[in-house]
Amino acid sequence: MSDHQHFETAPEDKISLSKKLIYGLGAFVNNILAAAIGGMVIVLNLGLGMNPALVGLLSALPRLTDAITDPLMGYISDQTKTKWGRRRPYIFCGAIAVGVIYALMWQLPLGQSENFYFWFFLTGSFIFYLAYTVFATPWVALGYELTPDYHERTRLMAVQNSMGYVAYLISPWFLWFMQSDVLFDDLVDGASWLAIIIGATVIVIGVIPAIFLKERFNKTNTDERVEAASKVNLAQLNKVEEFPTGIKGFFRGFVITLKFKPFLSLCGATFLVFNGFMLVSSFQIYVIIYYVFEGSQSLGAEYSGWAGTLSAASTFFVIFFVSWLSTKIGKKKAFYVATVVSIVGYGLKWVCYHPDYPLLTLVPAPFMAFGLGALFTLMGSMIADVCDMDELETGERREGMFGSIYWWVVKLGMAVALAAGGFLLNITGFDVALGGAQTAETIHLMRLFDVVIPMVASAIAIWMVYTYPITEQKAHEIREELEKRRQTA
């Protein structure tokens, strides 16, 4: 049988559009919280006068705990057994908790010292991110198990990715809302009310996936040990070593997940594509302002805004195009096509970002949108396939562990990119005091980094996905074997 054989989605494996949209509501909640915490933190500087360095620490320090809390929550979710399922209780309670905590942490008392605000917000942030993890990690894992079909998983991820992207169309207006003189006394007052609105929205929308979606798996490790053992010989069940639980079970699952090569290929590719994009995200603005518009911040901001809007609009098209394309040529090849298009987009910046033709600044945006638009549509679907392959080899299902580690890699990539971006800017010799009179070498290096780094990172990502072994044919064979086990057990 050819590796390129196509398998149609069986009716019983399809997820209704309503359920895809319900799952996608979780993506909206996830992204609106991420966008809000990132966009509103400026209030601590502009509204309360906190030192920008302290504001930066407040943004970075709470995320350090994610390396432990995310996988731990994934493991807890994988091991949970209730009549409501493994994921849904955490999604329901987590949505309520994170909404309430987010609203409370922005009720900042006036007239306090900088030290007070730092510790008040730092403490609140640690609690907020813990609640955020309780909601987000089981929600991600739930998506991996909603359907066993190779292509339906991609369609599900396309819907949730597009719904999540709506949050990033809303969030740029947060600052405008908070600083409205008509509605609020000051920026801090605006932030407190916006946080209440966001918190209430998160609670109302976030519990919906927990209420209306059903889980395919609600079993203990013992049940799945029986399934794994049945492949060899049910009579030998007593000889199968008991899977450890508790702390030993967590570290065992953590190590197995990190050693699973197909999963590492996806993590590495994601880190490179996402990190390459984020690393130069600030460079693009600097190049537009100081090269295309020779130091004019107003014109640079306007054209950057239009480029961002065009990119956002293009991303919606990319998500569904890539979903369709993957059903025709497979997920790996769809990733190759989309990533190559994004590489072309990055390369176009060298030509289109030109002082004599400012409108050409908009041209690369739709091409670059293929990078991230395809990444988070295809990777979620491919990790779901990885979960099946892992079950085939280990007899366990650990969607929570895979999802938590994958998204921690994304967070790590963002943190590394933001830190390295400032370092690279210093390497160029950029001096804000010079305004539009930056040296020719500085402009050249800024343009070079802006173009070359994401191109190289994306090219390496293509090579990493090339080593990923799960084709449509392979996924079909894995599913058949798993279903045979379950019928036998």
Side-chain angles (χ1 to χ4, degrees):
M1 193 176 288
S2 170
D3 285 345
H4 301 287
Q5 182 174 353
H6 179 71
F7 299 91
E8 296 293 336
T9 303
E12 61 270 20
D13 293 336
K14 291 183 178 179
I15 305 173
S16 66
L17 178 59
S18 61
K19 289 186 177 180
K20 288 174 182 172
L21 293 172
I22 288 172
Y23 181 71
L25 291 175
F28 176 82
V29 168
N30 196 31
N31 289 358
I32 202 71
L33 286 171
I37 195 70
M40 291 176 64
V41 74
I42 194 174
V43 172
L44 300 177
N45 174 242
L46 299 183
L48 296 173
M50 184 180 290
N51 188 305
L54 292 180
V55 175
L57 280 177
L58 286 174
S59 300
L61 288 176
R63 308 316 298 265
L64 298 177
T65 60
D66 288 343
I68 297 297
T69 58
D70 283 11
L72 185 59
M73 187 64 233
Y75 176 75
I76 292 172
S77 175
D78 287 338
Q79 301 303 308
T80 295
K81 182 182 180 182
T82 74
K83 63 180 181 180
W84 299 286
R86 299 187 295 170
R87 322 292 183 191
R88 294 164 65 206
Y90 298 114
I91 296 171
F92 185 89
C93 295
I96 296 173
V98 76
V100 170
I101 293 168
Y102 190 77
L104 291 177
M105 68 186 288
W106 286 98
Q107 307 312 307
L108 302 167
L110 298 177
Q112 302 296 320
S113 66
E114 182 179 65
N115 191 53
F116 173 89
Y117 289 127
F118 177 83
W119 289 107
F120 178 94
F121 202 81
L122 182 63
T123 303
S125 294
F126 275 114
I127 300 172
F128 163 75
Y129 280 115
L130 183 60
Y132 192 175
T133 295
V134 171
F135 166 80
T137 299
W139 170 79
V140 169
L142 178 61
Y144 296 155
E145 62 184 57
L146 285 178
T147 175
D149 184 74
Y150 180 84
H151 293 302
E152 191 68 1
R153 286 169 168 169
T154 306
R155 299 183 191 106
L156 172 66
M157 293 303 163
V159 173
Q160 69 91 8
N161 197 16
S162 62
M163 292 187 68
Y165 214 82
V166 173
Y168 294 117
L169 298 180
I170 298 172
S171 59
W173 297 97
F174 284 170
L175 182 59
W176 171 85
F177 179 80
M178 291 186 294
Q179 66 183 6
S180 172
D181 295 334
V182 177
L183 298 174
F184 311 113
D185 296 335
D186 53 36
L187 193 59
V188 177
D189 184 44
S192 70
W193 280 104
L194 178 59
I196 291 172
I197 294 171
I198 291 173
T201 302
V202 164
I203 293 171
V204 172
I205 296 178
V207 299
I208 293 176
I211 295 172
F212 293 103
L213 296 178
K214 294 182 179 181
E215 301 181 27
R216 290 180 57 239
F217 300 104
N218 183 18
K219 300 182 178 182
T220 64
N221 277 343
T222 301
D223 295 325
E224 296 188 309
R225 178 167 60 89
V226 171
E227 294 174 359
S230 67
K231 180 184 178 184
V232 182
N233 189 336
L234 282 171
Q236 298 177 353
L237 178 58
N238 291 330
K239 298 180 181 179
V240 178
E241 183 181 355
E242 188 72 32
F243 293 152
T245 57
I247 296 299
K248 288 184 178 179
F250 166 71
F251 283 109
R252 173 183 174 277
F254 187 81
V255 170
I256 290 174
T257 304
L258 286 181
K259 290 171 65 177
F260 202 58
K261 291 183 179 180
F263 177 64
L264 293 181
S265 296
L266 301 183
C267 287
T270 298
F271 183 88
L272 288 164
V273 172
F274 186 68
N275 202 35
F277 176 85
M278 293 299 298
L279 189 60
V280 296
S281 60
S282 60
F283 272 78
Q284 176 173 299
I285 298 174
Y286 282 97
V287 171
I288 291 174
I289 291 175
Y290 293 100
Y291 175 62
V292 178
F293 292 104
E294 300 176 337
S296 173
Q297 293 188 14
S298 59
L299 284 173
E302 179 183 350
Y303 274 77
S304 294
W306 282 115
T309 300
L310 180 58
S311 178
S314 302
T315 300
F316 285 101
F317 164 78
V318 169
I319 289 170
F320 290 101
F321 171 75
V322 168
S323 176
W324 169 83
L325 184 64
S326 72
T327 64
K328 303 299 181 184
I329 64 175
K331 299 172 189 179
K332 288 177 61 173
K333 290 182 179 179
F335 177 81
Y336 300 156
V337 171
T339 307
V340 167
V341 172
S342 71
I343 290 174
V344 171
Y346 292 126
L348 283 173
K349 294 166 80 172
W350 188 263
V351 178
C352 295
Y353 284 16
H354 197 283
D356 296 335
Y357 310 101
L359 280 176
L360 290 181
T361 304
L362 305 178
V363 172
F367 295 90
M368 292 188 295
F370 274 79
L372 295 190
L375 182 71
F376 293 118
T377 298
L378 295 171
M379 289 296 159
S381 179
M382 294 165 86
I383 290 175
D385 299 332
V386 164
C387 292
D388 285 350
M389 189 175 189
D390 175 60
E391 182 189 355
L392 183 69
E393 296 186 7
T394 68
E396 299 174 277
R397 291 204 70 86
R398 54 181 119 252
E399 293 94 344
M401 187 68 80
F402 279 111
S404 61
I405 293 177
Y406 175 80
W407 283 102
W408 178 76
V409 169
V410 173
K411 297 172 188 176
L412 176 66
M414 181 178 293
V416 170
L418 293 176
F423 178 74
L424 285 176
L425 192 60
N426 286 335
I427 290 179
T428 67
F430 175 78
D431 185 352
V432 68
L434 295 177
Q438 305 295 326
T439 66
E441 182 182 5
T442 293
I443 296 295
H444 179 76
L445 286 176
M446 286 169 59
R447 295 182 64 208
L448 194 65
F449 288 154
D450 186 39
V451 171
V452 173
I453 289 177
M455 290 181 71
V456 172
S458 296
I460 298 173
I462 290 175
W463 172 80
M464 296 199 74
V465 171
Y466 180 77
T467 66
Y468 175 77
I470 306 178
T471 61
E472 182 175 357
Q473 170 66 19
K474 181 68 174 178
H476 183 75
E477 293 172 356
I478 291 172
R479 180 184 174 183
E480 283 188 329
E481 182 59 40
L482 292 176
E483 290 181 351
K484 187 186 303 181
R485 289 187 190 179
R486 295 182 185 119
Q487 291 169 2
T488 304

